[in-house]
Amino acid sequence: MKRIILMFLRSFFWLPYYLFKVFQLSNVEKYDTETRYAFLHYLAPIANRRGRVTIECHGLENLPDKTGYVMFPNHQGLFDALAFLETHERPLVTVMKKEVANIFLLRNIIQMLQAEIIDREDIRQSMQVIMNMTRRVKNGENFIIFAEGTRSRRGNEIQEFKGGSFKSAMNARCPIVPVALIDSYKAFDTNSIRKVTVQIHYLKPLYYEDYKGMKSVDIAALVHDRIQDTIRQFAPEYAGEQSSAS
């Protein structure tokens, strides 16, 4: 919370303009996807710098050349989306839980991204979201899904990935891109304003030919393990283990 307040305070003179643009661009009938996303992509690094957060981005070359893929990152906290908005140049869509759908300003960003809102307690509604995502990915949109279902709250330790989260990608037969987030939790979830570096690693994608015939739980385990291996390779707390292994 302290860092969010810092971001607002250090943007004080520009804040009315930023808010005006967000509210303005929430009109999805007037502004196209590229225009709406371009502003968020422009605004994210400004907010991050003013919040004393540096993003180290790796593996952009791993993103598929064509649009219509689903990214599956580990989920560390509220800052995760800003790491994507700064580094991912093409428009993306998020899947968000209904509990955040009416939060001030966030609801406007949800509208700008045309995010899918999921009610995890309503199976029928969740299935509809999967169907919507399948259709939209086939039409060339890129999605982010947090397969853990909720943020880890254990720093760089990740939870089990839920197989059901992969159904839409499997139905669309689209590329699946694992993404490893490291130290993202330190930005908003530690109540600190110390300088922090967040790492985001876009890993090599799984194409349909790589996972066809696999069960969703097996795909989930494979993506989980690739992300966990990357975290253990690059997270600061595992540096000693890497040195010992070498």
Side-chain angles (χ1 to χ4, degrees):
M1 181 59 72
K2 287 183 179 179
R3 198 179 304 273
I4 296 175
I5 294 173
L6 178 66
M7 287 176 170
F8 276 96
L9 289 177
R10 296 184 73 179
S11 302
F12 181 78
F13 292 106
W14 283 92
L15 193 57
Y17 169 75
Y18 295 149
L19 291 175
F20 168 77
K21 291 296 293 183
V22 168
F23 294 145
Q24 180 186 47
L25 292 170
S26 298
N27 186 343
V28 298
E29 295 181 358
K30 184 175 181 180
Y31 298 97
D32 62 24
T33 300
E34 288 72 21
T35 300
R36 299 194 308 268
Y37 186 78
F39 181 73
L40 294 176
H41 184 58
Y42 157 79
L43 189 59
I46 295 174
N48 292 341
R49 286 197 304 271
R50 291 176 182 172
R52 308 183 79 197
V53 182
T54 300
I55 307 293
E56 284 187 2
C57 180
H58 307 270
L60 283 174
E61 69 278 3
N62 289 326
L63 290 173
D65 294 332
K66 297 181 180 180
T67 56
Y69 50 84
V70 182
M71 294 172 282
F72 289 89
N74 55 310
H75 193 13
Q76 295 198 341
L78 298 173
F79 184 81
D80 297 349
L82 281 173
F84 278 96
L85 289 174
E86 175 170 335
T87 59
H88 194 275
E89 294 184 356
R90 305 178 213 172
L92 54 80
V93 184
T94 59
V95 178
M96 307 185 79
K97 57 186 180 181
K98 71 169 187 176
E99 289 81 0
V100 302
N102 291 314
I103 295 176
F104 171 73
L105 194 59
L106 187 55
R107 63 174 174 260
N108 298 95
I109 295 174
I110 289 172
Q111 183 73 4
M112 290 173 70
L113 294 174
Q114 287 292 275
E116 291 284 345
I117 304 300
I118 191 166
D119 182 352
R120 291 174 294 185
E121 298 180 358
D122 187 333
I123 296 177
R124 180 175 295 182
Q125 192 270 349
S126 298
M127 291 299 297
Q128 184 61 52
V129 169
I130 290 174
M131 292 172 61
N132 293 344
M133 288 175 54
T134 300
R135 172 182 53 80
R136 295 177 68 177
V137 172
K138 284 183 175 180
N139 288 335
E141 294 186 76
N142 307 314
F143 269 82
I144 301 172
I145 305 176
F146 295 103
E148 291 165 281
T150 186
R151 52 182 165 172
S152 169
R153 299 185 185 276
R154 296 187 299 166
N156 288 321
E157 290 294 324
I158 64 177
Q159 304 174 98
E160 179 184 359
F161 279 20
K162 295 175 172 57
S165 302
F166 291 81
K167 291 292 187 180
S168 56
M170 295 171 69
N171 293 341
R173 300 186 175 186
C174 71
I176 291 172
V177 184
V179 184
L181 290 163
I182 298 175
D183 288 344
S184 181
Y185 72 96
K186 292 181 179 179
F188 289 163
D189 292 66
T190 59
N191 205 28
S192 169
I193 58 172
R194 292 181 179 179
K195 289 183 179 179
V196 62
T197 298
V198 173
Q199 299 179 48
I200 182 168
H201 297 257
Y202 295 93
L203 308 182
K204 291 183 178 180
L206 295 170
Y207 291 94
Y208 177 65
E209 292 74 18
D210 299 320
Y211 65 80
K212 67 179 180 180
M214 294 178 64
K215 296 180 179 179
S216 60
V217 291
D218 296 325
I219 298 172
L222 177 59
V223 171
H224 171 282
D225 291 348
R226 288 190 179 185
I227 292 172
Q228 187 66 79
D229 288 346
T230 301
I231 291 173
R232 290 188 178 277
Q233 182 178 356
F234 293 101
E237 62 263 41
Y238 296 115
E241 295 181 13
Q242 294 297 322
S243 300
S244 299
S246 59

